[in-house]
Amino acid sequence: MSHMLRNTIRSKPELNRSDSDPVRRGPVRRMLRWGGFAVVLAAALIFGGFLRFADSVTTLKPPAEPHADAIVVLTGGYQRIDQAVELLQKGAGKRLLISGVHPTTTRAQIRKMTQAAPELFSCCVDIGYDALDTIGNAEEATNWIHAKGYKSVLIVTNNYHMPRSLAELAYVDPDTQFIPYPVVNTDLKNANWFTDPNAMRVMLAEYAKVLLAGARNITGLGRHPGLRSAEGDE
């Protein structure tokens, strides 16, 4: 009888565990938990970076009295070239390079489009046909800058394109002083540009390119010359 009583009152091992004892989690569960934290943190950093990028782009303004040894405009819109030619006419630089012109576009077509004086074009404007992209613009501009011996250069491009352009130029040529002269994209002139799907699409796409360019310049992976002449050598 006493033996049966002892068996009856014997505590089960699982009932002895205190409610305060932590439940052990498996390695897979812990990995998923920390992986979730990492994803949330990465998303927050990317979103915060985009806000910072957008603020820097939309508040970027040209210098009040722009002046440098020379001017480089990165093709991608006639508004950029018009602005660069106007700077040249005003004496903001001694000479202008139009970088990244398509091989089928002639010098005469560009001059006619800008309505610049023939004398100005013949004396002080160089046309660059070698660049294929922003990396190529940086390479082409650097070759031209070093050939001419310039130390400071005004960079003319759209405001949303300016951060990536300056990053590529600084990577290729850290010794030259590059002075941004942003051309404001029409879609970004509105203070509420973020409600415009087109403007938001442009900003998100450019921000993604900025991130990729930064990773490429840090690691050196995936970097290419971006020049037509280099493609011919391959």
Side-chain angles (χ1 to χ4, degrees), residues 108-141:
Q109 288 174 328
I110 297 175
R111 190 202 64 77
K112 184 177 180 180
M113 178 269 298
T114 61
Q115 299 181 347
E119 297 79 10
L120 181 70
F121 248 72
S122 60
C123 84
C124 306
V125 177
D126 294 317
I127 310 294
Y129 291 101
D130 206 14
L132 291 167
D133 52 21
T134 304
I135 294 178
N137 288 139
E139 297 282 353
E140 184 175 58

Side-chain angles (χ1 to χ4, degrees), residues 27-44:
V28 174
R29 190 172 178 180
R30 287 198 301 271
M31 184 174 64
L32 290 175
R33 183 182 182 186
W34 286 108
F37 287 152
V39 169
V40 171
L41 179 60

Side-chain angles (χ1 to χ4, degrees), residues 167-178:
E168 298 292 5
L169 285 162
Y171 181 87
V172 176
D173 185 7
D175 297 325
T176 299
Q177 180 188 8
F178 296 109

Side-chain angles (χ1 to χ4, degrees), residues 77-95:
Y78 287 132
Q79 188 179 10
R80 302 181 189 181
I81 300 176
D82 287 338
Q83 187 65 72
V85 171
E86 183 178 344
L87 287 169
L88 181 65
Q89 291 172 334
K90 292 180 178 180
K94 303 172 187 175
R95 197 168 187 87

Side-chain angles (χ1 to χ4, degrees), residues 11-19 21:
S11 299
K12 294 183 179 180
E14 59 271 18
L15 296 180
N16 287 334
R17 180 184 297 161
S18 172
D19 292 340
D21 290 343

Side-chain angles (χ1 to χ4, degrees), residues 39-53 207 211:
V39 169
V40 171
L41 179 60
L45 290 174
I46 291 174
F47 180 70
F50 174 72
L51 293 180
R52 184 176 179 181
F53 168 78
Y207 178 59
L211 293 180

Side-chain angles (χ1 to χ4, degrees), residues 4 6 27 64 103 117 135 137 153 162 167 183 188 194 211 217 227 231:
M4 292 178 61
R6 283 197 302 271
I135 294 178
N137 288 139
V153 179
M162 188 63 75
V183 177
L188 299 179
F194 49 85
L211 293 180
N217 290 344
L227 301 174
E231 280 193 339

